[in-house]
Amino acid sequence: MSEIARSDAAHRIVVKAHPIRLYLVVWGWLFVLSAFSYLVDYFHLTGTLRYSLILTFMMLKAGLIVAVFMHMAWERLALVYAILVPIGAILAFLAAMAVEADYTLLTRLAFFSAGQ
C-alpha cells in the first residue's frame, strides 16, 4: 500500500446520516399540527382559546423544524443557547411591553373619562 493510500485510510471521516424515517415522522407531525391549526378556524373558535391554540401549534411546528430540519437537536448546548436565549429575551420583552401597553391604555381611559 502506498503512503498516500495509507494516509487517506487513516484520515477517513465517518459521516452518520439520520434515518429517513425520522424526517418522515417529523413531516407527518407537521402535517397533523397544521391540520389542527386549520381546524381551529373550521370550528369557528373565538377569543383567547383560538389564539392560544394557534400560537401553541405554531410554536410546536417551529420547534420541530428547528430541532430536526435545522439539526439543532444534535448541536452543542452552547450553540443552542446562543440561538434560543436571545429569542426568549425578545419574547420576555414583548410580554413586558404588552403589560405596559395595557396599563397605559387603562390609565388614559380612566384619566380622560374622569372629566366627563
Side-chain angles (χ1 to χ4, degrees), residues 1-21:
M1 197 184 251
S2 70
E3 184 67 33
I4 295 173
R6 262 188 266 135
S7 100
D8 285 344
H11 296 293
R12 190 166 293 154
I13 298 174
V14 178
V15 177
K16 290 185 179 181
H18 304 295
I20 191 74
R21 182 178 185 278

Side-chain angles (χ1 to χ4, degrees), residues 41-77:
D41 284 333
Y42 182 78
F43 289 119
H44 303 291
L45 298 176
T46 58
T48 306
L49 177 63
R50 172 192 169 129
Y51 294 113
S52 63
L53 284 174
I54 289 174
L55 287 174
T56 301
F57 294 141
M58 177 192 68
M59 295 299 285
L60 287 172
K61 290 190 298 184
L64 279 173
I65 291 169
V66 168
V68 177
F69 292 115
M70 295 177 67
H71 306 286
M72 287 302 270
W74 300 281
E75 292 292 338
R76 285 189 195 171
L77 192 58

Side-chain angles (χ1 to χ4, degrees), residues 72-113:
M72 287 302 270
W74 300 281
E75 292 292 338
R76 285 189 195 171
L77 192 58
L79 182 61
V80 172
Y81 284 157
I83 292 174
L84 295 181
V85 169
I87 292 172
I90 289 172
L91 290 175
F93 289 138
L94 284 174
M97 286 189 291
V99 170
E100 179 70 22
D102 285 341
Y103 173 76
T104 303
L105 176 66
L106 293 175
T107 304
R108 287 181 180 177
L109 289 176
F111 178 75
F112 289 121
S113 65

